[in-house]
Amino acid sequence: MASLRCFLRSGRNAVSVILRREFHKTSPAALQVTVRDALNQAMDEELERDERVFLLGEEVAQYDGAYKVSRGLWKKYGDKRIIDTPITEMGFAGIAVGAAMAGLRPICEFMTFNFSMQAIDQVINSAAKTYYMSAGVAAQHSQCFAAWYGHCPGLKVISPWSAEDAKGLLKSAIRDDNPVVVLENELMYGVPFEMSEEAQSKDFTIPIGKAKVERQGSHITLVSHSRMVGHCLDAAAVLAKEGIECEVINLRTIRPMDIDTIEASVMKTNHLITVEGGWPQFGVGAEICARIMEGQAFNYLDAPAIRVTGVDIPMPYAKILEDHSTPQIKDIIFSVKKTLNV
Amino acid sequence: MQKMLTIISNVLRGSASRNGAEMVSEGTRVVVSARTYADFTPQATFDIKKCDLHRLEEGPPQQAVLTREEGLQYYRTMQTMRRMELKADQLYKQKIIRGFCHLYDGQEACAVGIEAGINLTDHLITAYRAHGYTLTRGGTVREILAELTGRRGGIAKGKGGSMHMYTKNFYGGNGIVGAQVPLGAGVALACKYQEKNELCVCLYGDGAANQGQIFETYNMASLWKLPCIFICENNKYGMGTSVERAAASTDYYKRGDFIPGLRVDGMDVLCVREATKFAAEHCRSGKGPILMELQTYRYHGHSMSDPGISYRTREEIQEVRSKSDPISMLKDRMLNNNMASVEELKEIDVEVRKEIEDAAQFATTDPEPPLDDLCNHLFYNDPPIEVRGTNPWTKLKSVS
């Protein structure tokens, strides 16, 4: 039986779209690419490279994508490769998994990951478990799904932050012979990032399962994923003015997690804070802290490792409440100073 | 001698046409196409039940031609399936098979008839009552029984069990009721995409037929004209709930609404075969999906933990066994039309029995999977990884 190559991606629903332009590096003659465009490029390149790849989801074809991530693809590749579906998540997620079982490489898009809950059975019971159960013969609106999908053996889960992350990880996900959940953050779509020459190549991929040190530092390690990476870098910039040098790690992959990079960093800085947008209980930060405790880096900690997370409540509606329900830069700065006892 | 035979055959032919159906068993009429002494009839044509039609101008033919070879093959396969399931029942009661076990005896004509109407290069997916299909799709009795007993020689190396058996172009074996239907449409989408003129047979039961995701699938399969034969195996009970208590409409062949449908006698292997051929032709000609309801019956309860008599009577089960058993029906047809002898069929029974015994022997003596296989097969085509064991100091290895 052909392997399961089902691959899911989606944006996160937001009550209000925050428009912000962020420039995290400046260098001459650099190409600025938004996360949205990077995702679009990744899909375009992979559709061209492998004729088994196709995209299905609500509004992905003629509407150019609900968030315009698939803009232009239907015009270029047509009805066979870019398929608009009715509003039937369970059905089309199952169809995507079935097509993967039969040898194709579908990209199944959920308009928001909240909608994927309707299809979570197909993702977990049909996609994730089938390879294992067949012994290689051929094996379910506003929250962070890293912990949900990261819990499940048989899935790979990636969480890009920058445009380069988005492009490189998405391409790796499409080329991977296994089901991969891609946690896109809708608030990041419009943010431009510098894209290196290397990243502009059609063969550019980022390996799944490897974290990246975005900023070197010696006093404390900040581990994060997705949008919060930007917050960590902003906090680090402020703290640097006070002489505190933070090392910022971008996880890039939730599952399988690159604990080695985190351990090496903690052994250097002796302090650890995890930063995530998701809820605290049973989350990404909880997993990182547990593993650090169980490993060699524990002996190098000069203070307990702590988690900075979203508030343990459902996402509120009013803007001011919403703003205060996920970590702010000031929350990160506050936690760093508490940990370092300054 | 030759002249005498001609006279005899003329007389017989004459009397057959004069008395018609009264001379032979109900529902069959024999056309003698060749006759030499001491030999069997190489083929015969049988009347089969007319199918109820939904959104179809015409249906499958009402006669089926059966050759001797086909008859013997269907007989052997159905008998093997029957005995295999009964052996599984026995092993389960001896506690050599554990967990879930859903047996297929009574429904053999469905699996065998369907396979006779498609090719091995076509695709098929079903739910958890899957042992019969595993056999028709290329699995061996040995591999199936060894999977049920959880041994390394099992078709899924002992890691899947009863509900997770797979072969080439057979996608199991699925435990979540109804989830296999969108999967099957996805396989059909791949068939259409890859332009190899293949189709997908997608099975579900009368219980699953009420699932929302099946209607989502009907919609997309019809919109995109996917080459998908949806088949509802209606055995009258979803676990302990009769169809009347579960469905506002028990006309399962009509539930596809805009999808054409036919209701088929699922106890007659020839009826199932002809309907499947008809449906396959419909799909391959690009007309899109089609729906078949097979009216069938299971002798066992829903699973081995269900005696199957709290929601139906023993009399009902007995009546189906005596009047509509698929194997008996085929056997009678062949014997009454001199297509096989009693001894010949008995010999097949003996061979089948031996095959099952050998397989059971293997399934009870083959060792269990090795412990270092525990974490394998998490991913396909990936480098080996480490997997956490039950505590932080236990690190297990996983290869693709």
Side-chain angles (χ1 to χ4, degrees):
Chain A
M1 174 177 119
S3 63
L4 297 178
R5 292 182 291 258
C6 178
F7 150 76
L8 309 132
R9 48 174 278 273
S10 162
R12 196 199 300 185
N13 192 25
V15 174
S16 58
V17 175
I18 300 164
L19 291 168
R20 203 166 64 207
R21 295 186 75 77
E22 296 179 12
F23 294 81
H24 288 273
K25 262 187 258 182
T26 44
S27 67
L31 182 65
Q32 289 281 321
V33 180
T34 62
V35 172
R36 174 184 292 114
D37 291 342
L39 293 165
N40 186 283
Q41 275 174 37
M43 287 199 287
D44 193 354
E45 287 166 12
E46 296 307 296
L47 280 159
E48 193 173 312
R49 177 179 177 270
D50 185 343
E51 59 181 22
R52 295 168 299 173
V53 177
F54 70 99
L55 171 67
L56 82 166
E58 294 156 15
E59 309 299 350
V60 296
Q62 298 186 20
Y63 196 80
D64 271 337
Y67 301 100
K68 305 298 175 223
V69 181
S70 53
R71 174 170 35 211
L73 294 179
W74 175 67
K75 236 193 190 132
K76 185 171 175 186
Y77 294 101
D79 286 332
K80 179 178 171 177
R81 313 280 304 279
I82 313 292
I83 304 177
D84 275 336
T85 64
I87 307 174
T88 48
E89 276 74 10
M90 206 167 176
F92 69 72
I95 284 181
V97 176
M101 279 169 156
L104 300 183
R105 288 188 177 278
I107 307 171
C108 176
E109 177 171 310
F110 296 107
M111 195 182 285
T112 83
F113 254 123
N114 296 300
F115 303 162
S116 80
M117 299 309 295
Q118 298 219 303
I120 198 157
D121 172 66
Q122 294 290 1
V123 176
I124 295 191
N125 285 323
S126 300
K129 294 187 186 169
T130 300
Y131 189 68
Y132 182 82
M133 292 191 304
S134 63
V137 171
Q140 314 183 47
H141 281 219
S142 302
Q143 61 189 79
C144 176
F145 283 86
W148 288 74
Y149 289 115
H151 191 56
C152 183
L155 284 183
K156 299 188 187 182
V157 183
I158 58 181
S159 183
W161 165 60
S162 64
E164 268 197 32
D165 283 355
K167 183 173 178 197
L169 287 171
L170 180 48
K171 284 165 78 75
S172 288
I174 295 171
R175 295 183 192 196
D176 199 306
D177 289 338
N178 297 282
V180 182
V181 175
V182 185
L183 300 171
E184 292 167 12
N185 190 317
E186 188 236 323
L187 296 173
M188 298 300 293
Y189 282 149
V191 179
F193 287 83
E194 198 174 277
M195 189 165 283
S196 63
E197 269 216 53
E198 188 206 346
Q200 292 168 42
S201 145
K202 283 193 174 158
D203 295 314
F204 171 71
T205 57
I206 291 177
I208 294 177
K210 199 84 190 68
K212 182 181 177 204
V213 179
E214 297 284 353
R215 181 189 196 281
Q216 302 251 0
S218 50
H219 296 132
I220 187 165
T221 300
L222 303 178
V223 183
S224 186
H225 72 100
S226 191
R227 183 161 160 262
M228 291 294 136
V229 175
H231 280 35
C232 288
L233 289 169
D234 289 345
V238 172
L239 288 162
K241 295 200 188 107
E242 298 178 45
I244 300 172
E245 292 300 328
C246 302
E247 179 146 293
V248 178
I249 298 179
N250 173 5
L251 274 176
R252 284 180 160 178
T253 301
I254 304 293
R255 182 177 186 120
M257 188 181 292
D258 180 5
I259 199 67
D260 291 343
T261 299
I262 305 173
E263 273 186 339
S265 176
V266 171
M267 279 156 67
K268 183 175 81 173
T269 67
N270 313 123
H271 298 85
L272 173 63
I273 296 183
T274 69
V275 184
E276 69 196 283
W279 295 316
Q281 300 201 36
F282 309 96
V284 175
E287 176 65 17
I288 294 172
C289 290
R291 289 212 215 177
I292 290 296
M293 271 217 304
E294 289 172 350
Q296 49 181 340
F298 172 72
N299 292 310
Y300 292 75
L301 282 172
D302 288 344
I306 63 140
R307 305 165 292 165
V308 173
T309 70
V311 177
D312 202 11
I313 53 169
M315 176 68 72
Y317 178 66
K319 182 159 190 338
I320 188 170
L321 294 179
E322 187 205 337
D323 287 345
H324 283 83
S325 63
T326 53
Q328 313 271 292
I329 295 168
K330 61 176 166 65
D331 298 322
I332 302 172
I333 294 171
F334 173 78
S335 304
V336 168
K337 288 184 172 173
K338 281 287 267 191
T339 304
L340 292 173
N341 211 14
V342 296
Chain B
M1 187 58 163
Q2 191 63 28
K3 200 169 174 209
M4 176 152 46
L5 283 170
T6 315
I7 293 169
I8 293 171
S9 80
N10 282 339
V11 167
L12 281 166
R13 213 175 289 135
S15 69
S17 60
R18 219 186 305 130
N19 295 339
E22 294 151 40
M23 280 208 62
V24 294
S25 48
E26 191 194 22
T28 63
R29 189 182 306 140
V30 175
V31 171
V32 175
S33 50
R35 199 160 174 80
T36 49
Y37 72 97
D39 250 17
F40 296 113
T41 316
Q43 72 176 43
T45 304
F46 297 93
D47 280 350
I48 51 178
K49 250 197 212 142
K50 184 180 193 299
C51 296
D52 294 327
L53 302 177
H54 171 69
R55 287 190 190 267
L56 283 166
E57 291 295 310
E58 38 171 58
Q62 283 165 61
Q63 288 192 319
V65 174
L66 179 71
T67 68
R68 194 178 115 81
E69 287 75 39
E70 285 167 348
L72 291 173
Q73 187 224 314
Y74 302 158
Y75 180 82
R76 182 184 290 270
T77 310
M78 290 201 285
Q79 192 69 291
T80 305
M81 208 179 280
R82 174 71 58 91
R83 301 246 136 248
M84 178 179 77
E85 296 294 80
L86 293 178
K87 176 57 73 174
D89 170 282
Q90 187 187 24
L91 292 171
Y92 196 95
K93 287 174 175 150
Q94 294 174 319
K95 298 204 201 302
I96 299 173
I97 296 178
R98 310 168 309 113
F100 288 118
C101 192
H102 308 85
L103 297 178
Y104 198 68
D105 50 311
Q107 301 185 210
E108 294 85 359
C110 297
V112 175
I114 288 170
E115 194 62 46
I118 59 174
N119 309 314
L120 269 174
T121 47
D122 290 316
H123 306 257
L124 190 143
I125 189 169
T126 185
Y128 45 78
R129 202 175 301 280
H131 307 159
Y133 291 99
T134 315
L135 192 66
T136 51
R137 290 255 101 199
T140 63
V141 182
R142 253 166 87 100
E143 293 172 315
I144 294 170
L145 288 183
E147 185 59 36
L148 291 176
T149 56
R151 308 300 165 101
R152 65 180 70 182
I155 201 164
K157 302 195 174 74
K159 296 172 91 164
S162 168
M163 300 193 286
H164 306 292
M165 301 194 189
Y166 308 84
T167 68
K168 186 167 195 309
N169 295 355
F170 172 54
Y171 304 89
N174 289 278
I176 309 295
V177 172
Q180 76 278 10
V181 178
L183 294 179
V187 174
L189 189 148
C191 288
K192 179 168 177 172
Y193 192 102
Q194 291 167 328
E195 293 172 4
K196 288 194 254 177
N197 202 24
E198 292 164 5
L199 53 80
C200 184
V201 175
C202 183
L203 292 130
Y204 54 95
D206 50 275
N210 301 311
Q211 276 258 315
Q213 58 187 319
I214 293 188
F215 293 89
E216 295 188 12
T217 308
Y218 289 158
N219 183 41
M220 285 182 275
S222 204
L223 257 182
W224 301 334
K225 292 206 171 359
L226 301 182
C228 195
I229 305 178
F230 295 109
I231 301 189
C232 177
E233 279 180 297
N234 177 6
N235 59 19
K236 306 198 181 11
Y237 299 93
M239 199 151 149
T241 306
S242 66
V243 292
E244 296 79 33
R245 292 202 303 129
S249 162
T250 54
D251 290 332
Y252 295 101
Y253 70 110
K254 289 186 187 170
R255 302 275 298 269
D257 189 7
F258 35 77
I259 298 182
L262 34 147
R263 174 177 264 165
V264 181
D265 178 1
M267 303 306 265
D268 178 352
V269 67
L270 292 181
C271 209
V272 177
R273 184 187 75 181
E274 293 309 308
T276 306
K277 279 187 181 163
F278 176 84
E281 164 59 33
H282 177 101
C283 284
R284 284 192 231 276
S285 64
K287 296 199 185 103
I290 188 168
L291 208 163
M292 277 167 50
E293 175 190 342
L294 302 181
Q295 297 199 300
T296 183
Y297 200 83
R298 53 165 163 82
Y299 294 144
H300 268 83
H302 165 71
S303 69
M304 285 306 297
S305 54
D306 170 27
I309 46 170
S310 61
Y311 47 87
R312 51 184 194 173
T313 62
R314 282 187 219 269
E315 289 74 37
E316 177 187 291
I317 305 170
Q318 206 25 56
E319 185 168 347
V320 176
R321 253 194 225 280
S322 54
K323 297 218 177 109
S324 318
D325 184 274
I327 301 177
S328 302
M329 193 190 298
L330 178 65
K331 183 173 171 181
D332 289 344
R333 273 180 170 151
M334 293 190 68
L335 291 177
N336 291 342
N337 294 282
N338 198 32
M339 295 179 79
S341 71
V342 176
E343 293 75 33
E344 190 176 17
L345 295 182
K346 267 213 175 67
E347 204 182 302
I348 294 179
D349 289 349
V350 167
E351 284 167 12
V352 166
R353 209 169 297 241
K354 178 160 193 323
E355 184 185 352
I356 307 298
E357 279 309 318
D358 285 349
Q361 178 66 13
F362 173 72
T364 47
T365 53
D366 199 41
E368 290 184 287
L371 270 181
D372 43 273
D373 205 32
L374 179 68
C375 299
N376 290 343
H377 311 115
L378 273 179
F379 291 120
Y380 174 71
N381 207 16
D382 243 35
I385 57 173
E386 227 174 45
V387 173
R388 187 190 207 267
T390 59
N391 59 66
W393 297 277
T394 308
K395 303 249 192 281
L396 305 168
K397 198 160 123 200
S398 168
V399 295
S400 276

